[in-house]
Amino acid sequence: MEASSGLVAGSYRRNELVRIRHESDGGSKPLKNMDREICQICGDHAGLTETGDLFVACNECAFPVCRPCYEYERKDGTQCCPHCKTRYRRLRGSPRVEGDEDEDDVDDIENEFGYAQGGANKPRRREEFSSSSRHDSQPIPLLTHGHGVSGEIRTPDTQSVRTTSGPLGPGDRNAISSPYIDPRQPVPVRIVDPSKDLNSYGLGNVDWKERVEGWKLKQEKNMLQMTGKYHEGKGGEIEGTGSNGEELQMADDSRLPMSRIVPIPPSHLTPYRVVIILRLIILGFFLQYRTTHPVKDAYPLWLTSVICEIWFAFSWLLDQFPKWYPINRETYLDRLAIRYDREGEPSQLTPVDVFVSTVDPLKEPPLVTANTVLSILAVDYPVDKVACYVSDDGAAMLTFESLSETAEFAKKWVPFCKKFSIEPRAPEFYFQQKIDYLKDKIQPSFVKERRAMKREYEEFKVRINALVAKAQKIPEEGWTMQDGTPWPGNNTRDHPGMIQVFLGHSGGLDTDGNELPRLIYVSREKRPGFQHHKKAGAMNALIRVSAVLTNGAYLLNVDCDHYFNNSKAIKEAMCFLMDPAYGKKCCYVQFPQRFDGIDLHDRYANRNIVFFDINLKGLDGIQGPVYVGTGCCFNRQALYGYDPVLTEEDLQPNIIVKSCCGSRKKGKNSKKYSYDQKRRGISRSDSNAPLFNMDDIDEGFEGYDDDRSILMSQKSVEKRFGQSPVFIAATFMEQGGIPPTTNPATLLKEAIHVISCGYEDKTEWGKEIGWIYGSVTEDILTGFKMHARGWMSIYCNPPRPAFKGSAPINLSDRLNQVLRWALGSIEILLSRHCPIWYGYTGRLRLLERLAYINTIVYPITALPLIAYCILPAFCLITDKFIIPEISNYASIWFILLFISIAVTGILELRWSGVSIEDWWRNEQFWVIGGTSAHLFAVFQGLLKVLAGIDTNFTVTSKASDEDGDFAELYIFKWTALLIPPTTVLVVNMIGIVAGVSYAINSGYQSWGPLFGKLFFALWVIAHLYPFLKGLLGRQNRTPTIVIVWSVLLASIFSLLWVRINPFVSVTPAANPNAVPGGVF
């Protein structure tokens, strides 16, 4: 599909397909007309044949290539036409190369060198040969597993091999005579006239014979590389080559793993595990004492506290034991390059499709989305193997127009990034860096070009801001495009599917003439009466449309506000996904989320450091981290619902299952299970073979008359994936890619088909394949289904953060974000996919299951937490306590429990590297979120599941900080989530005042019990202190409604206490045992 196709809109159900030409489209203007007489590689004349006809290299497409470029492609290139990827046939007069013996043409060995006419002495642009073969093609397998031999044969006379002038032909027009020979330049084709004496070319002298012998040794060495029979170099030179063993060392590096596990030092991990076991024992004795020693005069308070403590202990177990095997990982990008991306050779890295999702451009500013897209287009990855898909689920013309402007600016921004290797490659954040931008920059033109690029970006921002200002007021007749065509998405709830390729192979060249990655705009069809499943439905539409248009083997999804902070992020993921040891069983590589624009002290724990640097590292040592919704690179086969290719070691039960349940017994079922695994492994091991053999459909299989689980009929395939033959064919291509003979018109029609609103009807989309439906936190469900099938995931945390995004730093937006996450967990808890009872027939490991259970039950902790936070106030007001008078023996367990909690936290911070401030902020916000967002999520989830009352999905605003540093931190927005924690604060403050007043009037004997009550009350206030600062704001003002509700509830509790135990003196006659005194 080409960029010049324009906007394509249509509806499959209505049999509509319209192609709209848009004047502002980046790809609508052809850059140049192809001249059949000009070589499209070097720019020279294509030349003539011996008969005087125009030289044609490819008989399939007649792509204009001159004879020298044709000879170079056959000898040292891919041997394929750069346009149609058809293998070049040997033309009359061409030297033979490997593979020509398969051709059944007439042998003309006597004329093999006789083509002096027609461009034999044609000069060539040597520097362009290296890029002529950078096309999406499958190179012919070589002896070295597809990798050519690096380096050249070193000879004493270097200029005899690489000359710029001499008897072999005229020199390069752009070359400068210099004794320095650039080893990166390809060796020119050696043209020999057989009518001349071969000695004049050096073919008969001693130097030539030495080079021939060196070439033979080199070929023998390549054979050794293929079979793996290497000899370790001893530091001396290899005879006849002068290579000093460098190529053998490179071959050894290509076999090394591309990543490694960095274990936590035992000196850090062993004490941590010991303390966990001791804490578990102490916790058991503590709970035994608490349950067997009730407080009779405060039985309701004691019972409430014991129930809360038992739940807290259960929650701690779910959270603690999945962190039993924490690990670190590191990658080796140099080994990835040696194996798949050698310089001067066609890259063999796997294509990747990048998804960017956006909904409302007024809440998600187009400038933020544009920066994310620009960072993707400038990523350090082969441009022909990257495609960026932007999903506009709001069908906003503002998003479409801003993306068009982004495509034009990318033609200037991308070459600037790659020329000077800048980081990050999102212009807004690059120009905002308060660092020395001249560090490590050595090119004199950098300062001048940087200033010019900054000016270009400022003009780009002005154009985007103008579009945003124009979009504030929607015309009554709706939006119209520049050619007068009405915008198809004027009705956001009833519009056809839309696809626009802004950058592609036939219109996506930057200012330097280099190709850019594809940039594709997608807006799926929406009609009334259909369930669209919000973000999960949009992501599934992107899976299908990308499979039809580009079909990258891997998918990487980011939110519109998460830009590439590390241009090598995709290569970091490929170190795992393309590794022979991990690739076949790894469903995704999850990167941590890092954020910009957060206040220095991270008041509301927006960074989630504890979760990303402690919890996910712990899961990485079990079966892998959970999917967190963004910054994740997927294996497309895992999203299709296929099972992984597991080894026998992977199929063994883990050590906990072995110790608890014993090893798996072998029997009839296990034999069939192993056979299925073996057959699945065979079908998945061949990258070119389909996952299902369509020749075996409905024919049965020997020995399995009743069980056809390994066969899939055409009907069942359509029921699983939908009725699109192009998409179904793409699912069978494990290594990705689309057939080269595919008709672009067919792709357009199928692309519109697969994003139609009724495509998923009666299929398994959202149930077993793709992003799973049923929760607003579709990320948890999607990752859980993959892990339940036996896939493993990888946690990749490179030294330079891969992605950075923006987070809501004001209190109200932060609580609404946490509410959405907690509500999704409750929805999963009450669904059939609940980890408590789902997936026991799969291969989900026990500790991984505990982590998923903890992920969905944590909102329920809000109920005991808010009760436990109110207990100190009740104890102070009623002069009761939840703990009876304890003996010295019992006090030991209380002291040991507090010590074990503190030591566990300290050792956890030690092996993880998390600061104590981040840990404390996480503890504080656990209480803030538990007493507000989590509490509301529990009730909203119950209403949604039991009563069918749905809740709206609120997109978190991503606003820029224009009013000063962290101005958004002090913005106050009213929400009902603020009422419960405010009430808890006020009640505890009243309780402290009441308790101290009672102690003052009761004498010194009452101060001892008061300290325990004050400790718990102050513990609650200390955890809610960031919330209190958020309420006061910068001007120390609080909205009236918050004060009214809080004072009202606090007064109710206070009056209730006054009614029960008023501050008045009682007479001895009324109560002989009363102590004289009181407040008044």
Side-chain angles (χ1 to χ4, degrees), residues 67 342 639 700:
R67 184 178 281 273
R342 292 187 181 182
L639 286 171

Side-chain angles (χ1 to χ4, degrees), residues 98-120:
E98 183 181 358
D100 287 346
E101 60 274 7
D102 298 334
E103 300 180 2
D104 54 356
D105 57 348
V106 180
D107 191 3
D108 60 337
I109 191 65
E110 66 277 3
N111 297 320
E112 197 164 7
F113 300 99
Y115 63 96
Q117 305 90 350

Side-chain angles (χ1 to χ4, degrees), residues 29 111 627 767 939 988:
K29 303 173 183 178
N111 297 320
Y627 169 43
K767 302 174 184 176
F939 292 106
N988 276 276

Side-chain angles (χ1 to χ4, degrees), residues 19 548-549 725-726 742-753:
R19 185 173 300 179
V548 171
L549 298 180
V726 176
T742 305
N743 186 2
T746 303
L747 292 183
L748 285 173
K749 185 177 180 180
E750 286 298 321
I752 292 295
H753 178 200

Side-chain angles (χ1 to χ4, degrees), residues 603 809-810 965-972 1030 1033-1035:
R603 181 185 294 178
I809 64 174
N810 71 74
D965 292 339
F966 314 119
E968 189 185 355
L969 179 65
Y970 306 100
I971 297 177
F972 191 93
R1034 176 176 287 177
Q1035 291 81 19

Side-chain angles (χ1 to χ4, degrees), residues 947-963:
I949 301 176
D950 199 358
T951 55
N952 294 325
F953 174 77
T954 303
V955 179
T956 306
S957 300
K958 286 88 176 177
S960 58
D961 191 12
E962 298 178 354
D963 299 329

Side-chain angles (χ1 to χ4, degrees), residues 561-619:
D561 61 323
H562 275 71
Y563 65 90
F564 276 70
N565 183 66
N566 185 348
S567 61
K568 300 182 184 297
I570 298 181
K571 290 185 176 180
E572 295 277 356
M574 292 302 109
C575 287
F576 301 103
L577 294 173
M578 296 186 69
D579 191 286
Y582 292 108
K584 296 294 183 180
K585 56 184 178 180
C586 178
C587 56
Y588 59 81
V589 175
Q590 178 66 61
F591 293 89
Q593 293 185 28
R594 302 294 187 234
F595 300 96
D596 287 319
I598 298 178
D599 59 300
L600 182 62
H601 299 290
D602 193 12
R603 181 185 294 178
Y604 305 123
N606 282 281
R607 294 190 178 94
N608 285 330
I609 295 295
V610 172
F611 174 74
F612 286 110
D613 289 0
I614 296 181
N615 294 73
L616 293 193
K617 284 184 179 180
L619 291 177

